Amino acid sequence: MINKPPPSIIALDGPAASGKSTLGRILADSLGYLFFDTGIMYRAITWIALQRNLDLRDETVITELAKKAQIDIRPPSKADGRPCDVILGERDVTWEMRNGEVDANVSVVSAYAGVRQALSEQQRRIGMRGRVVMVGRDIGTVVLPQADLKIYLDASAEERAKRRFDEIIARGEKADYDEILRKVIERDRIDSTRAVAPLRPAEDAIIINSDKMNAKQVFAHVMELCK
Ligand code: DC
């Protein structure tokens, strides 16, 4: 019997904290593929804009920044749970990019058409090489509509807030569940109602709700789909 090769371009979309990155990482590892979390790029632009005190409401300025920014993603240099190092200039901003200030502002930045165009082009160029698991919000719909397998990973806002909360506590930091839940809901609202590339499943995506599944079960299910 001839085994079919696994899908080469895998698009993995879904709302904040649905478990996309965890799934994407183990999926890419087990297939020997590149893992590419596109949220990092939107976060990096937001982080630089905040750092430079730029006006986040100024679409022209933020778009120019997105066109020029050099975002360097390297293999992880520390075993502290990071999937990769994110370097801007010479500075390691891997965890800083996940801070509350970036969380609160990244949806505004990622709603700008010019920002999306600049970043999507870079993502598409990398994705089209194949053997890739690309994670985001619009990978199956806009960045790589020709993907061989499209997964839309969903979970309730409460479950996702709980996972974010546990993650922060595990890093030894303080967290407020209600505050996290409020932010998750607000980010969903902005991500799914924006005019350009809103968060939604592609018509040919397979939708998985992970509320009652742990990471291992979701992974096993997706590996079955890859066969
Ligand atoms: O997955 P994340 O939480 O790191 O994503 C950060 C933000 O970037 C999120 O608010 C939505 C946005 N994003 C996007 O608009 N398109 C993508 N392909 C990836 C992320």
Side-chain angles (χ1 to χ4, degrees):
M1 197 179 79
I2 301 169
N3 281 331
K4 240 177 78 188
S8 179
I9 301 179
I10 302 178
L12 185 47
D13 291 301
S18 59
K20 304 182 299 288
S21 298
T22 307
L23 171 64
R25 213 186 319 176
I26 45 179
L27 193 58
D29 269 359
S30 62
L31 294 170
Y33 285 10
L34 173 74
F35 167 67
F36 189 172
D37 181 355
T38 57
I40 284 174
M41 300 182 90
Y42 293 95
R43 284 177 180 277
I45 301 302
T46 308
W47 187 86
I48 301 172
L50 289 167
Q51 199 71 9
R52 294 188 190 164
N53 265 322
L54 299 180
D55 181 358
L56 289 162
R57 291 161 305 180
D58 189 334
E59 184 165 355
T60 312
V61 167
I62 304 297
T63 300
E64 273 314 299
L65 173 65
K67 284 186 187 160
K68 292 196 190 118
Q70 297 285 329
I71 306 165
D72 199 0
I73 298 170
R74 302 179 190 165
S77 60
K78 288 183 197 144
D80 61 357
R82 62 181 63 200
C84 56
D85 282 6
V86 184
I87 312 291
L88 295 176
E90 276 311 303
R91 186 158 165 187
D92 181 338
V93 296
T94 310
W95 290 126
E96 274 175 77
M97 276 193 349
R98 305 230 154 249
N99 74 21
E101 214 190 349
V102 172
D103 270 352
N105 290 289
V106 65
S107 286
V108 174
V109 168
S110 59
Y112 293 146
V115 170
R116 301 205 69 83
Q117 195 186 341
L119 300 187
S120 297
E121 273 169 23
Q122 297 189 43
Q123 294 160 12
R124 194 167 298 124
R125 187 173 44 77
I126 294 167
M128 289 305 288
R129 295 182 196 145
R131 297 180 63 83
V132 65
V133 178
M134 196 172 285
V135 173
R137 302 290 192 289
D138 60 342
I139 310 305
T141 50
V142 176
V143 178
L144 297 169
Q146 63 282 77
D148 304 304
L149 176 65
K150 298 180 187 178
I151 307 281
Y152 187 89
L153 190 59
D154 211 350
S156 66
E158 288 74 15
E159 178 62 29
R160 288 182 285 127
K162 185 182 170 298
R163 290 179 195 165
R164 253 302 130 85
F165 174 84
D166 292 345
E167 224 176 77
I168 299 171
I169 297 294
R171 283 209 302 271
E173 294 164 26
K174 282 202 183 117
D176 175 345
Y177 172 81
D178 291 334
E179 176 73 4
I180 295 175
L181 177 61
R182 200 179 54 71
K183 285 185 181 156
V184 162
I185 293 171
E186 176 61 5
R187 206 129 72 83
D188 284 357
R189 190 189 63 75
I190 302 179
D191 290 346
S192 54
T193 56
R194 70 178 170 224
V196 195
L199 169 68
R200 63 173 173 80
E203 273 177 21
D204 50 350
I206 296 166
I207 300 176
I208 302 173
N209 185 304
S210 71
D211 266 1
K212 296 197 168 61
M213 292 164 100
N214 61 31
K216 231 173 155 178
Q217 290 166 322
V218 175
F219 169 64
H221 181 48
V222 174
M223 278 310 270
E224 275 306 306
L225 296 172
C226 285
K227 282 181 189 160

